[in-house]
């Protein structure tokens, strides 16, 4: 059973095995999040070749069936993405190597065997939302992501509420050291009538002021 998780990608060393369209898609995504990307393949798409020439990523020409080379590269990276279809034995080798070396492994060719998966991502109400089909259909996941984005479009109240709660969390972490007490205060603020009215009106400044007032009052209460 896979657990949804967001991981900081800017420090990741990513190895993509394969140089086709799927490899390009994965490389583009990780590059956009600041990862260091290496692509290993006999052939590369035009975009990958250009990215390699510009220094945006590293290209290494080689055969995924060269297990010694693949093993050495896996050892140098944090996350490995296998994208080569039609070579199940090499796919399994890459998966086992990642497991034994404790590397995160994404098998684009095998949704059931893969250690990790890359969901479809959308945004709404100031939040990032991931949609995962369990490998059954990325196309349907894209439809669902679009539907979620449509439903959240224009929900200014949720955006305001999110910013106000974030500001209160920032302040309460300084004044209320007990995390259990903070959780109770977060719930209390979320149910605050004044805050909800301000959010419903889309009044970001007013909502943040109310969050700051609440944090100050809560800090004074808990310190006595």
């Amino acid at each position: 059973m896979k657990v949804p998780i967001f991981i900081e990608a800017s420090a990741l060393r990513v190895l993509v095995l394969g140089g086709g369209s799927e490899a390009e898609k994965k490389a583009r995504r990780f590059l956009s999040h600041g990862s260091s990307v290496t692509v290993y393949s006999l052939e590369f798409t035009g975009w990958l070749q250009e990215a390699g020439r510009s220094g945006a990523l590293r290209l290494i020409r080689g055969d995924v069936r060269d297990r010694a080379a693949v093993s050495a590269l896996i050892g140098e990276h944090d996350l490995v993405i296998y994208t080569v279809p039609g070579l199940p034995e090499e796919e399994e080798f890459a998966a086992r190597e990642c497991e034994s070396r404790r590397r995160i492994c994404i098998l684009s060719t095998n949704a059931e065997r893969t250690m990790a998966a890359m969901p479809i991502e959308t945004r709404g109400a100031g939040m990032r939302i991931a949609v995962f089909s369990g490998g059954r259909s990325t196309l349907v996941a894209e439809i669902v992501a679009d539907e979620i984005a449509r439903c959240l479009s224009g929900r200014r109240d949720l955006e305001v509420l999110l910013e106000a709660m974030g500001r209160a969390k920032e302040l309460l972490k300084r004044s209320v050291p007990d995390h259990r007490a903070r959780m109770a205060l977060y719930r209390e603020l979320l149910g605050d009538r004044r805050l909800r009215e301000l959010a419903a009106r889309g009044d970001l400044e007013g909502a943040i002021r109310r969050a700051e007032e609440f944090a100050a009052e809560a800090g004074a209460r808990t310190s006595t």
Side-chain angles (χ1 to χ4, degrees):
M1 179 67 70
K2 295 174 180 62
V3 177
I5 186 172
F6 279 90
I7 187 170
E8 176 55 55
S10 61
L12 284 179
R13 299 167 300 170
V14 178
L15 170 65
V16 181
L17 297 173
S21 59
E22 183 66 20
E24 177 184 322
K25 182 170 68 173
K26 295 296 192 291
R28 283 177 181 266
R29 190 164 180 185
F30 277 97
L31 283 175
S32 71
H33 286 83
S35 303
S36 172
V37 178
T38 298
V39 182
Y40 177 81
S41 180
L42 287 171
E43 298 180 349
F44 307 99
T45 66
W47 184 89
L48 286 172
Q49 291 180 54
E50 182 57 34
R53 283 192 292 267
S54 70
L57 51 73
R58 179 172 62 143
L59 298 183
I60 300 178
R61 197 171 297 276
D63 194 330
V64 74
R65 289 167 291 194
D66 183 346
R67 295 189 176 185
V70 169
S71 177
L73 285 168
I74 288 174
E76 297 172 4
H77 293 81
D78 307 304
L79 185 149
V80 178
I81 305 173
Y82 184 93
T83 70
V84 184
L87 294 175
E89 292 182 357
E90 307 315 321
E91 170 196 282
E92 181 62 23
F93 173 78
R96 289 198 311 269
E97 281 291 293
C98 288
E99 289 168 357
S100 66
R101 293 169 177 264
R102 295 184 177 273
R103 301 297 193 263
I104 302 171
C105 181
I106 297 175
L107 300 176
S108 296
T109 50
N110 192 332
E112 294 182 1
R113 178 72 171 87
T114 189
M115 180 189 302
M118 294 179 67
I120 300 300
E121 186 179 328
T122 189
R123 293 175 184 263
M127 291 175 283
R128 296 169 62 189
I129 302 161
V131 180
F132 180 48
S133 71
R136 286 168 292 181
S137 177
T138 299
L139 295 176
V140 175
E142 289 175 345
I143 294 172
V144 172
D146 289 343
E147 184 67 13
I148 291 170
R150 185 189 66 79
C151 290
L152 292 176
S153 177
R155 288 298 304 270
R156 174 65 175 168
D157 59 322
L158 294 178
E159 293 183 25
V160 169
L161 199 58
L162 182 65
E163 292 299 321
M165 290 296 294
R167 176 59 175 159
K169 184 175 182 180
E170 175 188 344
L171 295 172
L172 288 170
K173 278 187 173 181
R174 301 174 190 170
S175 59
V176 183
D178 186 339
H179 72 278
R180 291 168 295 186
R182 288 201 306 272
M183 287 303 301
L185 290 169
Y186 297 152
R187 294 189 180 94
E188 182 182 342
L189 176 58
L190 187 61
D192 182 79
R193 182 176 177 180
R194 283 181 58 197
L195 178 65
R196 289 300 188 107
E197 288 174 349
L198 290 162
R201 295 202 298 266
D203 186 348
L204 177 58
E205 291 184 3
I208 289 179
R209 282 197 302 270
R210 175 55 191 148
E212 291 172 343
E213 291 171 2
F214 178 90
E217 295 164 1
R221 290 202 319 257
T222 56
S223 63
T224 57

